[in-house]
């Protein structure tokens, strides 16, 4: 590892690694700096390069010579810089951090990192989209991945979560079919990163166990505002095993400290075009500004003896465990505080596997989990081209590793033992086994009997619509309206009238009025059936937190602004942790009436209202006043249409005229308002004003 400490703009700033832990220290040996004073270019074999600009030719204007090994090595390496992208979850990004335990879980699990309150465990998290290719957009209407690798003192533990509490299938056998159906049409290769096509909806109509999953997808949960405000569940049912061998069923949930917030359909579609890296950019900006994403880990526990005491099967991944029935117990918090140093080496080569567990955590007979425990490692053997996946630095555990596996592509570890088998006498039968009572992993001795069968595990697996109805009942009127809108958007792209009709005939089981509205919108007959008779709701599905902290505000400003007023208000916003971007006609500075200068961050040409959570309209003078005024009007129109908070400085009052059809809810005026700053911050925290007309 190079120890140069020169101040190089290409070298990560110190604040990108503010908290050192065992994993960060381990990675230090792999970090290399290639630029800076005294850094001469070399070949990968180590010799210095004299010319990296022109290939070796036979004469000044002659052909390139085959003996130009430097060109060959440079080009052949470049030709191999890409590895196969993930079949699903191809588009993603990641960050490091740590998990701190709030309370001991010793009574239910012997997992070391869940024993002592205050224990801190290094983590790496990868966020991702399910459907699209690596080059698609962040804001696609899709389920998101939220995979966490805990670098524990007993080895790695991978927790693979999704942004929905339920999954699309009941058995892993159907995963390939589901994935084929949501991917682009195999004949045309389109559409990308969306289910707005015939194949997906034909699959949905003919595999109705997916109904609950689709309700989540059509809701605001399918369009998270950013990864920092996204809830996530591993969806599978696991076991906790304590030191006495007692088993407890467990499901996990990550709850974002900032609450769960989402984009509107129109916002998500527009942002996907103007800033396809919107979620990745948000993660980077938050961590670089020290606003570290935080998530609390909750567990839902069901004693082994209570397995059959519910009206849902606890092994069915298309069913959630309602928090009102099985309470969530918050046990710790994860903070993401460091970005990766190299996207490919760390994020793209990271590998997660639900079968990577530690003592005290085990599998159940959950039919999806059983398949996942095989598929993930097998996929990455292919994708990463090696069996030595855990030799890649980001995947390496922080614990000592002693094993008999040998060779394989990209084997960097130099094993010096002459014995590589078990059992043996030449090495005193080492590496030796560790009994469970001393920390060795042992599976739960669950009793298994019965006939080989392909039957479903229980009758409640056939109940496709009770929980989707519970989900619908839990939505607010605004959210219900948006679900209908999102169904309409997707089904509007479906060419087959038969498929469209099948879909509304299916979702009448969830809600008759919802299905009838969708039918009217997409040109098919209203369904004849009715919804299942479920009246319960789950308030926990809509409860969330609201803060102004890290909300992003565009300040629309020109020259001649009231310097004292504006600086005071901007300082107040920053005191509440609001992210501010100054938007004007040109880059450079804008100057106030008292000579105050403010640096411009963005220009109207390259930014859009949808990229901000709120706008603060200041106004002013510019060289092209007519265009400046039109840009402000466009920002106001879009922000108002999307129910966002709008602050209006005294100098910008002329931009707003109250009309009978507009109640200006969420618009805060500074004129004659000594409480403007406090009211605007409060509006920013509320985020949407659904009563706006």
């Amino acid at each position: 590892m190079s120890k140069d400490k020169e101040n190089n703009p290409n070298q990560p700033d110190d604040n990108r690694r503010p908290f050192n832990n065992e994993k960060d220290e381990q990675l230090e040996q792999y970090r290399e700096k290639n630029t800076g004073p005294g850094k001469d270019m070399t070949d990968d074999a180590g010799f210095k390069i004299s010319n990296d600009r022109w290939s070796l030719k036979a004469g000044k204007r002659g052909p390139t010579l085959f003996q130009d090994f430097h060109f060959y090595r440079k080009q052949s390496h470049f030709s191999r810089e890409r590895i196969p992208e993930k079949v699903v979850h191809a588009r993603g990004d990641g960050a490091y951090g740590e998990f701190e335990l709030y309370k001991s879980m010793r009574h239910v699990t012997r997992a070391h990192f869940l024993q002592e309150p205050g224990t801190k465990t290094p983590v790496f998290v990868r966020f991702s989209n399910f459907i699209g290719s690596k080059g698609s957009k962040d804001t696609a209407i899709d389920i998101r991945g939220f995979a966490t690798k805990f670098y524990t003192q007993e080895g790695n533990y991978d927790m693979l979560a999704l942004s929905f509490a339920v999954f699309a299938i009941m058995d892993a056998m159907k995963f390939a079919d589901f994935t084929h159906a949501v991917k682009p049409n195999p004949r045309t290769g389109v559409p990308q990163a969306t289910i707005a096509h015939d194949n997906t909806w034909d699959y949905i109509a003919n595999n109705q166990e997916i109904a609950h999953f689709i309700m989540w997808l059509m809701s605001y949960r399918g369009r998270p505002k950013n990864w920092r405000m996204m809830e996530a569940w591993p969806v599978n049912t696991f076991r906790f095993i304590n030191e006495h061998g007692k088993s407890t069923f467990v499901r996990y949930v990550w709850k974002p400290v900032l609450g769960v917030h989402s984009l509107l359909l129109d916002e998500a579609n527009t942002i996907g075009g103007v800033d396809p890296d919107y979620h990745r950019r948000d993660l980077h900006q938050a961590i670089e500004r020290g606003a570290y994403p935080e998530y609390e880990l909750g567990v839902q526990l069901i004693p082994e003896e209570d397995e059959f005491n519910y009206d849902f099967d606890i092994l069915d991944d298309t069913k959630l465990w309602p928090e009102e029935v099985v309470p969530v117990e918050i046990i710790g918090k994860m903070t993401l505080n460091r970005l990766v140093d190299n996207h490919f080496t760390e994020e793209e080569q990271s590998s997660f596997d639900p079968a990577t567990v530690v003592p005290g955590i085990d599998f159940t007979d959950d039919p999806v989990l059983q398949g996942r425990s095989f598929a993930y490692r097998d996929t990455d053997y292919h994708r990463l081209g090696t069996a030595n996946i855990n030799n890649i630095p980001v995947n390496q555990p922080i614990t000592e590793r002693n094993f008999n596996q040998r060779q394989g592509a990209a084997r960097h570890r130099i094993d010096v033992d002459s014995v590589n088998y078990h059992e043996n006498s030449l090495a005193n039968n080492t590496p030796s086994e560790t009994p469970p009572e001393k920390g060795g992993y042992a599976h739960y001795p669950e009793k298994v009997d019965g006939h080989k069968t392909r039957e479903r595990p229980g009758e409640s697996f056939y109940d496709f619509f009770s929980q989707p109805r519970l989900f619908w009942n839990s939505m607010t009127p605004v959210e219900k309206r948006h679900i209908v809108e999102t169904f309409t958007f997707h089904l509007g792209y479906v060419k087959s009238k038969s498929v469209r009709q099948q879909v509304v005939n299916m979702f009448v089981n969830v809600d008759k009025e919802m299905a009838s509205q969708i039918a009217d919108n997409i040109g098919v007959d209203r369904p004849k059936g009715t919804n299942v008779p479920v009246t319960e709701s789950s308030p926990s599905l809509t409860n969330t937190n609201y803060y102004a902290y890290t909300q992003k505000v565009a300040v629309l400003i020109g020259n001649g602004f009231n310097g004292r007023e504006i600086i005071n208000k901007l300082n107040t916003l920053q005191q509440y942790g609001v992210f501010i971007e100054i938007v004007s006609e040109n880059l450079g500075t804008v100057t106030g009436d008292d000579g105050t200068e403010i640096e411009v961050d963005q220009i109207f040409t390259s930014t859009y209202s949808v990229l901000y959570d709120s706008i603060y309209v200041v106004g002013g003078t510019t060289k092209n006043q007519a265009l400046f005024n039109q840009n402000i009007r466009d920002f106001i129109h879009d922000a108002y249409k999307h129910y966002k908070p709008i602050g209006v400085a005294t100098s910008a009052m002329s931009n707003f005229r109250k009309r009978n059809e507009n109640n200006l809810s969420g618009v805060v005026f500074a004129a004659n308002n000594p409480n403007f700053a406090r009211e605007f911050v409060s509006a920013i925290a509320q985020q949407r004003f659904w009563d706006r007309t």
Side-chain angles (χ1 to χ4, degrees), residues 25 59 81 116 163 183 277 305 365 401 435 493 618 622 651:
E25 293 171 1
E81 282 185 358
E116 296 297 331
S163 57
K183 285 290 188 175
D277 301 306
E305 59 271 20
D365 294 335
R401 294 181 297 157
Y493 284 91
V618 177
T622 64
S651 56

Side-chain angles (χ1 to χ4, degrees), residues 572-590:
T572 299
L573 293 179
Q574 290 177 327
Q575 287 172 11
Y576 281 89
V578 175
F579 290 171
I580 295 171
E581 283 198 354
I582 307 300
V583 181
S584 192
E585 183 179 66
N586 300 308
L587 292 175
T589 59
V590 288

